[in-house]
Amino acid sequence: METSAGIQASLQGRYASALFDLASENGTVTAVETDLETLSAALSESDDLAATITNPQLTRAEQGAAVGAVAKKLKLSDLTTNFLGVLAGNRRLSKLPEMIAAFKTIAANQRGEVSANVTSAHPLSDDQIKTLKDKLTARVGRTVMLTTDTDAVLLGGLVVTIGSERIDASIRTRLNSLSQAMKA
């Protein structure tokens, strides 16, 4: 498996890599990825769950029981449930959101995909998203998975982030550049 050194060097990256390797051996990468997406949604929707995984006052056993109950309720696979138990036992549940992100990155790299985030002043139509995805795929030579955000501060245009590369074509940036040029 080939992943970036930055992911493998981090604590969350090592756990995510280990989970990916186990899922690959079992042929359950897609199932685990779906489990992690479900878990990520649950973490963002439930303040109690987010507090449970970060609460240092809870014992390992209490955290393990809590995430075990959540895993059962969400009908997560055995591998994902066991992974959560290991995290609870090692007091690493607080890093779960970062581990989920690292797993997604590893899985996307394995499939030859790259993630891109597009921020626009107004929501993009489905046709605009498809056109942008096609152009970015042609530019980077890999399948691009887009996530979109809106930020009215941009005024107009787009800010596209692909990995560490950022393409800023927003009106806000153009106005700031013009303002700086007029000061000189």
Side-chain angles (χ1 to χ4, degrees):
M1 177 183 73
E2 188 165 314
T3 58
S4 73
I7 289 175
Q8 288 181 335
S10 67
L11 171 81
Q12 56 269 22
R14 290 192 304 271
Y15 276 92
S17 292
L19 179 60
F20 184 84
D21 289 343
L22 288 171
S24 292
E25 288 174 15
N26 295 334
T28 59
V29 172
T30 304
V32 170
E33 195 168 13
T34 301
D35 286 350
L36 294 178
E37 287 172 5
T38 302
L39 190 57
S40 181
L43 282 168
S44 64
E45 292 171 8
S46 172
D47 292 337
D48 290 340
L49 180 57
T52 298
I53 68 167
T54 58
N55 188 343
Q57 294 177 331
L58 293 177
T59 66
R60 295 170 197 236
E62 290 169 334
Q63 281 186 324
V67 295
V70 168
K72 186 175 181 179
K73 175 90 171 151
L74 296 175
K75 297 180 177 138
L76 303 181
S77 68
D78 290 342
L79 180 58
T80 305
T81 301
N82 292 341
F83 177 71
L84 292 173
V86 169
L87 294 181
N90 292 341
R91 304 289 283 173
R92 300 289 189 229
L93 278 174
S94 63
K95 298 292 184 187
L96 183 58
E98 293 91 346
M99 290 176 197
I100 292 171
F103 186 92
K104 287 180 184 179
T105 301
I106 293 166
N109 285 341
Q110 196 68 17
R111 290 188 299 266
E113 298 172 352
V114 64
S115 296
N117 185 9
V118 178
T119 305
S120 60
H122 306 286
L124 299 174
S125 70
D126 290 341
D127 288 339
Q128 290 171 320
I129 292 171
K130 183 183 180 329
T131 301
L132 185 58
K133 184 176 179 178
D134 291 344
K135 289 187 181 200
L136 291 173
T137 297
R139 178 181 174 145
V140 297
R142 295 170 66 184
T143 303
V144 175
M145 303 305 292
L146 280 183
T147 56
T148 59
D149 293 320
T150 57
D151 185 359
V153 174
L154 295 179
L155 302 176
L158 301 171
V159 177
V160 180
T161 307
I162 305 172
S164 61
E165 183 181 0
R166 186 177 185 118
I167 305 163
D168 191 340
S170 66
I171 292 176
R172 179 187 64 183
T173 299
R174 290 179 186 178
L175 289 173
N176 286 342
S177 297
L178 182 60
S179 173
Q180 291 299 322
M182 291 178 74
K183 287 181 183 178

